[in-house]
Amino acid sequence: MKVKEVAELTGISVRTLHHYDDIGLLSPQKMPGSGYRLYETKDLEKLQQILFFRELDFPLRQIKEIMMSPLYDHEEALRVQRKMLIDKRKRIDQMITTINQTIQCEEGEIEMTDKERFAGIDFRHNPYEEEARQRWGDTAVEQSKKKIASMGEEEQQEMAQAFDAIYKKLATVRDEPADSEKAQAYIEEWFLYLNQLGSYSLEAFKGLGQMYVDDPRFTKNIDKYGDGLAEFMKNAMAVYAERNQR
Amino acid sequence: MKVKEVAELTGISVRTLHHYDDIGLLSPQKMPGSGYRLYETKDLEKLQQILFFRELDFPLRQIKEIMMSPLYDHEEALRVQRKMLIDKRKRIDQMITTINQTIQCEEGEIEMTDKERFAGIDFRHNPYEEEARQRWGDTAVEQSKKKIASMGEEEQQEMAQAFDAIYKKLATVRDEPADSEKAQAYIEEWFLYLNQLGSYSLEAFKGLGQMYVDDPRFTKNIDKYGDGLAEFMKNAMAVYAERNQR
DNA sequence: ATTGACTATCACGTTACGTGATGCTTTATA
DNA sequence: TATAAAGCATCACGTAACGTGATAGTCAAT
């Protein structure tokens, strides 16, 4: 599908699609030669997600962060979005009754306090935001994610390659002991690389390794490079952290 | 009440209150001496209205125009807002079922068309916007037509005379620049008079001026009062509209 | 009398696009 | 097949609704 077709299907503007491409939120294939954007089914799926997030007032940057995360799970996102939409509907119900009361109040039938007058309008601690932050919010990993999201297209490309390279290297030595020279050398490379993104203390670094095995979503992604890589990295990272912690 | 109290009551920021004051949307009394903003009950009522409109994605400029109109009716506004909120709730319901279907689709239980995938997200012709534009929007011309149609004979006579008087006045200054003091004063008189008939937003007013030169029937009739009057009025009306917007 | 919480007014920054301007494809029509 | 019309692309600047300090005056409590 080309831009206008997508625009007409979804009700958003062509410019919006351009914008989402510009910021790297949704970058479809481009027709070689003409440079036309071509949206496939997977792009439409992603766009659907994006628009749900947008309806829930997530800033685009955060949407990007969430969806680029290695922890991202499409179906889980849908469930959380559903919950948040239900909460939003509750808020609207609240506002409707507030209006009803206000009308009655205007006709002198009832009295209203100032608080009641704004029930439903107040946004501050709506539970669905809480829910979302809990699910995707500011963990230690978050910092590096932010950095990643703020990077330009080529930079991201470079980084993805660097990650890939390091994982592959590590995968080749995953059957050696975790404290072997090679393993520790690669792990150091890994540590130094991570510290270009955000500052990881040795403690945090060790914790990150622990997460690799504790969180099945992490494990799954890492073990794509080789069975048992997550476990191996956890051990090697722990060794590295302890050795260098004086 | 002072700014922070209002902010805490309503959940909006102090800056937002400042902003609404800046653009003349909600300008409370100021404490003489300190200059502190003091919000009374009527200001809170108005703020409630504003926030309902905002929830329904009305731009602030339009909210201002709506609420400044001489035709504005608080209670009627509440009723329309209620209707629009109910429609919004329907849209959310639609989105929720879309999510449910998407989840089922993901699990291979059902199939989905592209259109279904975006049901509820598409905003374009939701009826509540229609409703609102009809009520307050740029149908000002139609409103005035209706009003004229419903007027008695003498009233129409009176009106014709008033029109005649204003046109004659304007014809006397049609060689001055469109932004001269006199021209603008007469144009303001014209604007205020029109607003006794129907509510003309500044945008609509400007558009009306444009019509004076675009539609030859208009031009012909107006230029009876003096050659080039239509053109002059168009310019003066545009200046007036732009100066008073924001 | 001093501190700390509030307030005010600039003034520049940000997000998520809107709105042309200009020029290259692709499709429809003569 | 030529030629227009429609669609696409990339700048680049504009806008709406505030956010975010910076700086300075005010008020209530210690």
Side-chain angles (χ1 to χ4, degrees):
Chain A
M1 296 181 88
K2 285 183 283 184
V3 274
K4 206 193 179 185
E5 301 173 83
V6 177
E8 267 163 16
L9 175 66
T10 61
I12 65 178
S13 74
V14 171
R15 177 68 232 269
T16 299
L17 290 169
H18 285 170
H19 184 56
Y20 291 173
D21 191 359
D22 288 346
I23 64 174
L25 177 57
L26 181 66
S27 305
Q29 285 290 102
K30 294 212 182 180
M31 246 178 92
S34 71
Y36 286 12
R37 276 166 257 254
L38 287 181
Y39 293 84
E40 298 162 40
T41 307
K42 68 179 176 63
D43 296 312
L44 291 184
E45 276 175 28
K46 193 170 175 186
L47 181 55
Q48 187 208 32
Q49 285 282 308
I50 291 170
L51 294 179
F52 280 132
F53 276 124
R54 192 182 69 162
E55 174 72 27
L56 293 162
D57 298 311
F58 281 68
L60 296 186
R61 183 170 299 168
Q62 202 185 341
I63 298 179
K64 188 182 172 188
E65 281 169 17
I66 290 172
M67 299 188 64
M68 282 193 356
S69 160
L71 295 180
Y72 183 65
D73 177 347
H74 184 69
E75 206 170 311
E76 190 206 357
L78 283 169
R79 284 181 213 288
V80 177
Q81 284 168 343
R82 180 172 54 188
K83 190 153 196 266
M84 299 198 296
L85 281 172
I86 289 170
D87 285 343
K88 186 165 184 174
R89 188 176 57 184
K90 271 188 205 155
R91 252 194 62 238
I92 291 183
D93 283 337
Q94 180 65 262
M95 290 177 71
I96 292 174
T97 70
T98 298
I99 288 191
N100 286 332
Q101 287 177 349
T102 307
I103 291 176
Q104 287 191 301
C105 180
E106 221 94 316
E107 285 164 352
E109 292 175 25
I110 60 166
E111 296 278 296
M112 270 183 100
T113 71
D114 282 345
K115 261 158 289 170
E116 285 167 344
R117 205 175 273 285
F118 292 94
I121 298 179
D122 191 340
F123 234 90
R124 276 163 305 184
H125 262 64
N126 47 356
Y128 72 69
E129 280 263 357
E130 297 291 325
E131 180 76 26
R133 309 295 168 188
Q134 269 189 18
R135 197 85 233 87
W136 292 300
D138 302 61
T139 61
V141 192
E142 179 74 5
Q143 272 197 357
S144 77
K145 277 197 277 183
K146 270 187 193 159
K147 199 142 196 175
I148 292 168
S150 73
M151 279 163 58
E153 278 277 314
E154 328 123 62
E155 256 183 312
Q156 275 186 41
Q157 206 74 2
E158 275 175 33
M159 206 191 66
Q161 284 179 352
F163 265 71
D164 197 62
I166 294 183
Y167 277 127
K168 275 181 182 154
K169 264 196 213 171
L170 281 163
T172 66
V173 296
R174 72 180 188 277
D175 290 325
E176 296 186 22
D179 59 350
S180 77
E181 218 175 288
K182 262 193 193 170
Q184 286 300 304
Y186 290 158
I187 284 293
E188 173 150 60
E189 201 178 322
W190 175 230
F191 180 64
L192 295 177
Y193 190 77
L194 278 182
N195 267 306
Q196 289 175 18
L197 301 173
S199 67
Y200 283 81
S201 69
L202 284 163
E203 254 323 299
F205 189 59
K206 192 173 151 191
L208 188 63
Q210 187 62 45
M211 259 178 63
Y212 286 176
V213 299
D214 286 344
D215 190 322
R217 292 164 301 184
F218 259 118
T219 317
K220 205 176 121 197
N221 267 291
I222 292 171
D223 279 1
K224 279 181 194 160
Y225 290 88
D227 256 348
L229 180 56
E231 173 78 24
F232 168 75
M233 282 182 73
K234 179 210 121 185
N235 292 330
M237 286 163 84
V239 169
Y240 181 81
E242 257 142 44
R243 278 198 189 159
N244 291 82
Q245 239 159 21
R246 177 185 345 205
Chain B
M1 294 181 88
K2 284 183 283 183
V3 274
K4 205 191 179 186
E5 300 173 83
V6 177
E8 268 164 15
L9 175 66
T10 62
I12 66 178
S13 73
V14 171
R15 178 67 233 268
T16 299
L17 290 169
H18 284 170
H19 185 57
Y20 291 172
D21 192 358
D22 288 346
I23 64 174
L25 178 56
L26 181 66
S27 304
Q29 285 288 103
K30 294 211 181 182
M31 246 178 91
S34 71
Y36 286 11
R37 276 165 257 255
L38 287 181
Y39 294 84
E40 297 163 40
T41 306
K42 70 179 174 66
D43 296 312
L44 291 183
E45 276 176 27
K46 191 170 176 185
L47 181 55
Q48 188 209 31
Q49 285 282 306
I50 291 170
L51 295 180
F52 280 131
F53 277 123
R54 193 182 67 163
E55 174 73 27
L56 294 162
D57 297 312
F58 280 68
L60 297 186
R61 183 173 297 170
Q62 201 184 342
I63 298 178
K64 186 183 171 187
E65 277 173 11
I66 290 172
M67 300 187 66
M68 280 190 1
S69 159
L71 292 182
Y72 183 65
D73 178 348
H74 184 69
E75 207 171 310
E76 191 205 357
L78 284 168
R79 282 181 215 288
V80 177
Q81 285 168 342
R82 180 172 55 187
K83 191 156 194 257
M84 300 199 297
L85 281 172
I86 288 170
D87 284 342
K88 184 163 186 176
R89 189 176 57 185
K90 270 188 205 156
R91 254 194 61 239
I92 291 183
D93 283 338
Q94 179 66 262
M95 291 178 70
I96 291 173
T97 70
T98 298
I99 288 190
N100 286 332
Q101 288 178 349
T102 307
I103 291 175
Q104 286 191 301
C105 180
E106 222 95 317
E107 285 164 352
E109 292 174 24
I110 60 167
E111 296 279 295
M112 269 183 101
T113 70
D114 281 346
K115 263 160 285 171
E116 284 167 344
R117 208 176 270 287
F118 291 95
I121 298 179
D122 190 341
F123 231 90
R124 277 163 305 184
H125 267 70
N126 47 356
Y128 72 70
E129 282 260 358
E130 297 293 325
E131 180 77 26
R133 310 296 168 192
Q134 268 190 20
R135 185 60 202 79
W136 292 299
D138 14 23
T139 59
V141 185
E142 277 190 10
Q143 271 185 42
S144 78
K145 272 190 203 160
K146 273 185 195 164
K147 198 142 192 176
I148 291 169
S150 72
M151 277 162 59
E153 277 277 311
E154 333 121 65
E155 262 181 302
Q156 278 191 33
Q157 203 73 4
E158 270 179 37
M159 206 189 66
Q161 283 180 355
F163 268 69
D164 196 63
I166 294 183
Y167 277 127
K168 275 182 182 155
K169 262 196 213 172
L170 280 163
T172 65
V173 295
R174 73 178 187 280
D175 290 324
E176 294 185 24
D179 59 350
S180 75
E181 223 181 292
K182 263 192 191 168
Q184 287 299 305
Y186 289 154
I187 283 294
E188 173 150 60
E189 205 178 328
W190 175 227
F191 180 65
L192 294 176
Y193 187 77
L194 279 181
N195 266 305
Q196 289 174 18
L197 301 174
S199 70
Y200 281 81
S201 71
L202 285 163
E203 257 321 300
F205 187 59
K206 192 172 150 191
L208 189 64
Q210 187 63 44
M211 261 177 61
Y212 287 178
V213 298
D214 286 342
D215 189 326
R217 292 165 300 181
F218 262 110
T219 318
K220 207 176 121 196
N221 268 291
I222 292 171
D223 279 2
K224 278 182 194 163
Y225 291 89
D227 254 334
L229 179 57
E231 172 80 13
F232 168 75
M233 282 182 73
K234 178 210 121 185
N235 292 330
M237 285 162 86
V239 169
Y240 182 79
E242 254 141 47
R243 278 197 188 159
N244 289 283
Q245 247 161 25
R246 167 181 12 184

